[in-house]
Amino acid sequence: TNSPPDSSSPIQMARSGETAPLLETSLSSLKKEDPFASEDSEPCVCCSALAHDDDDDLDEFRIPLDDGTVPGMNPALYFDVEKSNLKSVEDPGRPWDFGRFLRILGPGIMVCLADTDGPCLLTAAQSGAQYQYSLVLCQLGLIPVLYGAQELTVRLAVCTKQGLTALIKERYGPVWSWTACVLHVAMCWLGQASEFGAIGQLFRDAFGVDRRITNTIQFLFLCGIILMGRLGYRLTEIVGVTVGSMQLIFVGALCMTHANVDKVVEGLGEFHFQESNYEVLLAGNIGAVIMPWMLYYQQSAVCERKIKRKDLKYERMDTLIGAILAQCVMMSMVIGMGALRYYGNDLTRNSLDFGDIIGAYAQAFSGNTWDKIQPGAATILDVQPAPEPSLSHAARQELLVSYAAQIETWYTPTNYILAKWVVVLGVCGACTVASIVLTITPVWSTCELLGIERDLFLPFKERPLQYCLQIGGLAAAYITSISTDISGPWFAILTQTINGLLILPVAAFLWLLSSSPEVLPEDYRHKGWYKWL
């Protein structure tokens, strides 16, 4: 019912591209020109940025849609999108700035390193032990899938300045946002519990330490990380990337396994869909690589870092590097255990724990190939055949004990200690970075759902709810890990299989949001053949 502003008003001038008078306009006059603004509202910062023609300022705000509207923005302050540069894509002619890339680097690599956590490594080891190299192709094929999924979260973040939960709430309403958030928090709790379980099993297998001791130390360490966050998210990210990078030691260890390249290539074409366990492991590998909480985390992390659209190419490269590193770690474990501990359908031995992985690497570091142990042998089954089904239970156990004693002769004590620390460092790094991500992302999601400012890195008195949610979720996972036995490989595979199933609804939301003209402008929208691929 209000009459439109006069054509000479600052708002109309901003719409038409006449920016100079706007520089001389006071904040009070801007408020008066906005017929929809309340008395205490602030002037439109987008129009102010437009007046100054400052790309950095423009990048702070949500990019307008194709019709010039900005979801959540005062309608009186819409301007001519074609005459502004808010909707334009990042400048492809801008030279690559390596220093700026290093400053942007972080969210993509951290979330992908968190992807290859302890349960993932166990799932990869199981894959190699049961099906040798036939699941390597799955890991290779998941590199573009992992990158593509995570890259969509980057687009949404730089354009909308909102996390995934906030966008689901805005676009699909409270029912779907509550459902998505509850599932997300539940997945994070399950993942956190599996990290505690993996750490407990690792130190029990490596040093014989009770899991209650190691899990308590891990709990206190993670509480320290939460409190350290008071110094800023960037510091937490740097610590996470540094610690998570320790898992890359498995890529180097692969060179010592003497895996037959021809056999690895041959295994790329082998499939076992007729076996139900193969399908379970396939789902576990997919769930191990693309976890729902990863999508939530990176989108919110890009928002937290305030990464701008002009830096989109740097964040894309950050994500691509992370995806390649994560899959290199997974493939290294599959190939390494396929070369050193391929047991096939021998159910008595093909369920590996960290102790088996340590023994396998100790053998590799000692230089004992299968042909050296037994001329003509290609796998451990050639040296230690599967027990005959006709054997009694006692006879089978006696044979397995003799096998275990024989394995100990394949490595030296020094190389066993070396292998022990390689596995401990690699798995601890993987579990720790995953735990850091899992303490942050559910709280970000909850804050977005409740409309609370997402900034966690403030004093306790200013953010009591967020601190309580972080410590409370961590404590629940810790108590579960010391009161129940979730340290076995079965729980790791179960966790990854559940992730593989629950990724479907989260990926559907991501696909719908990134394809919607009501969420992203055309330049950034998921479209064409890539959308359907």
Side-chain angles (χ1 to χ4, degrees):
T1 59
N2 293 312
S3 60
D6 184 75
S7 60
S8 62
S9 70
I11 303 302
Q12 291 299 321
M13 291 181 180
R15 291 175 176 168
S16 62
E18 299 178 41
T19 60
L22 196 63
L23 296 175
E24 302 173 357
T25 304
S26 65
L27 297 183
S28 59
S29 64
L30 276 176
K31 292 180 182 179
K32 292 177 181 178
E33 293 296 338
D34 181 3
F36 294 90
S38 60
E39 293 183 359
D40 58 347
S41 64
E42 293 295 326
C44 174
V45 283
C46 290
C47 287
S48 300
L50 180 60
H52 290 277
D53 197 25
D54 189 334
D55 285 343
D56 285 342
D57 288 343
L58 291 172
D59 252 345
E60 295 291 339
F61 310 105
R62 186 162 180 170
I63 297 177
L65 303 180
D66 298 327
D67 58 1
T69 63
V70 181
M73 178 179 170
N74 193 320
L77 299 180
Y78 292 155
F79 45 83
D80 190 343
V81 177
E82 296 302 326
K83 293 184 179 180
S84 74
N85 61 350
L86 271 173
K87 195 169 83 57
S88 61
V89 297
E90 65 276 9
D91 182 7
R94 193 190 298 259
W96 184 272
D97 186 338
F98 188 72
R100 189 167 186 84
F101 170 63
L102 291 179
R103 291 193 295 273
I104 297 297
L105 199 68
I109 289 182
M110 180 161 174
V111 76
C112 289
L113 290 177
D115 175 29
T116 51
D117 57 358
C120 288
L121 293 173
L122 280 175
T123 301
Q126 295 294 108
S127 301
Q130 295 187 29
Y131 297 103
Q132 204 168 22
Y133 310 123
S134 66
L135 284 167
V136 173
L137 181 62
C138 171
Q139 300 295 340
L140 278 172
L142 285 171
I143 293 177
V145 176
L146 174 59
Y147 169 76
Q150 297 299 136
E151 189 270 341
L152 290 182
T153 67
V154 176
R155 288 195 220 180
L156 288 169
V158 299
C159 291
T160 68
K161 315 302 181 186
Q162 295 190 71
L164 188 54
T165 303
L167 282 180
I168 293 173
K169 181 180 179 181
E170 176 189 284
R171 186 75 180 87
Y172 300 106
V175 174
W176 283 113
S177 60
W178 272 95
T179 302
C181 185
V182 169
L183 285 176
H184 178 210
V185 172
M187 286 184 289
C188 290
W189 174 84
L190 186 66
Q192 193 70 268
S194 67
E195 303 306 332
F196 276 109
I199 288 290
Q201 180 189 355
L202 171 67
F203 280 87
R204 183 183 61 192
D205 293 345
F207 304 107
V209 180
D210 189 285
R211 70 174 187 271
R212 290 171 293 187
I213 298 175
T214 54
N215 287 4
T216 299
I217 295 173
Q218 182 190 14
F219 172 72
L220 295 175
F221 173 78
L222 292 172
C223 287
I225 291 290
I226 292 173
L227 297 176
M228 184 193 71
R230 172 69 182 85
L231 302 177
Y233 168 71
R234 183 59 170 162
L235 178 60
T236 302
E237 189 176 74
I238 291 173
V239 171
V241 171
T242 302
V243 173
S245 297
M246 291 193 299
Q247 64 189 271
L248 297 176
I249 198 170
F250 291 123
V251 179
L254 174 64
C255 301
M256 305 292 292
T257 62
H258 303 286
N260 188 308
V261 177
D262 292 335
K263 290 293 184 181
V264 173
V265 174
E266 182 182 332
L268 298 179
E270 294 181 1
F271 306 97
H272 304 272
F273 290 110
Q274 71 278 10
E275 299 180 25
S276 60
N277 194 48
Y278 179 80
E279 296 177 353
V280 171
L281 271 178
L282 180 63
N285 276 271
I286 295 173
V289 171
I290 307 175
M291 301 190 216
W293 49 263
M294 295 171 58
L295 303 174
Y296 285 90
Y297 175 83
Q298 186 165 1
Q299 187 164 333
S300 294
V302 170
C303 294
E304 181 71 27
R305 287 282 308 279
K306 295 180 174 58
I307 293 174
K308 302 173 181 179
R309 61 190 171 93
K310 68 179 182 180
D311 297 322
L312 185 56
K313 62 182 178 182
Y314 300 123
E315 184 53 30
R316 282 172 169 162
M317 181 58 68
D318 173 36
T319 304
L320 178 61
I321 292 172
I324 293 173
L325 291 178
Q327 291 309 98
C328 283
V329 172
M330 290 291 286
M331 285 188 289
S332 297
M333 185 59 72
V334 174
I335 295 173
M337 292 305 104
L340 297 168
R341 291 297 180 267
Y342 171 56
Y343 290 113
N345 293 323
D346 184 0
L347 299 179
T348 58
R349 294 187 292 171
N350 64 11
S351 182
L352 301 187
D353 56 25
F354 289 117
D356 298 318
I357 296 173
I358 291 170
Y361 281 124
Q363 173 193 334
F365 296 162
S366 299
N368 280 324
T369 63
W370 296 121
D371 188 64
K372 185 180 294 186
I373 292 172
Q374 180 177 302
T379 71
I380 194 171
L381 287 175
D382 295 329
V383 181
Q384 297 181 341
E388 292 292 335
S390 58
L391 291 177
S392 65
H393 177 72
R396 290 170 64 87
Q397 291 302 114
E398 183 178 351
L399 180 61
L400 292 176
V401 169
S402 67
Y403 280 170
Q406 184 183 21
I407 289 175
E408 292 180 0
T409 66
W410 295 345
Y411 52 77
T412 64
T414 301
N415 284 309
Y416 181 77
I417 294 173
L418 174 62
K420 183 186 297 185
W421 281 107
V422 165
V423 174
V424 166
L425 289 175
V427 175
C428 278
C431 289
T432 300
V433 67
S435 290
I436 293 173
V437 169
L438 289 166
T439 60
I440 296 174
T441 180
V443 183
W444 273 342
S445 182
T446 304
C447 291
E448 292 167 8
L449 178 68
L450 299 177
I452 302 173
E453 187 179 356
R454 190 176 50 240
D455 192 352
L456 306 178
F457 307 96
L458 292 171
F460 177 83
K461 63 180 180 180
E462 296 183 34
R463 290 289 182 270
L465 177 61
Q466 287 92 318
Y467 279 95
C468 289
L469 287 173
Q470 280 186 292
I471 300 293
L474 193 62
Y478 162 68
I479 293 171
T480 302
S481 70
I482 63 174
S483 58
T484 60
D485 185 13
I486 57 172
S487 59
W490 68 270
F491 189 76
I493 296 174
L494 174 64
T495 301
Q496 307 313 323
T497 303
I498 293 174
N499 280 328
L501 296 175
L502 291 181
I503 189 63
L504 298 176
V506 179
F509 275 125
L510 186 65
W511 186 85
L512 290 170
L513 289 167
S514 60
S515 306
S516 173
E518 298 180 19
V519 177
L520 292 179
E522 185 177 5
D523 291 332
Y524 296 90
R525 200 177 306 145
H526 202 199
K527 57 187 177 180
W529 63 268
Y530 185 62
K531 170 183 175 180
W532 299 107
L533 179 64

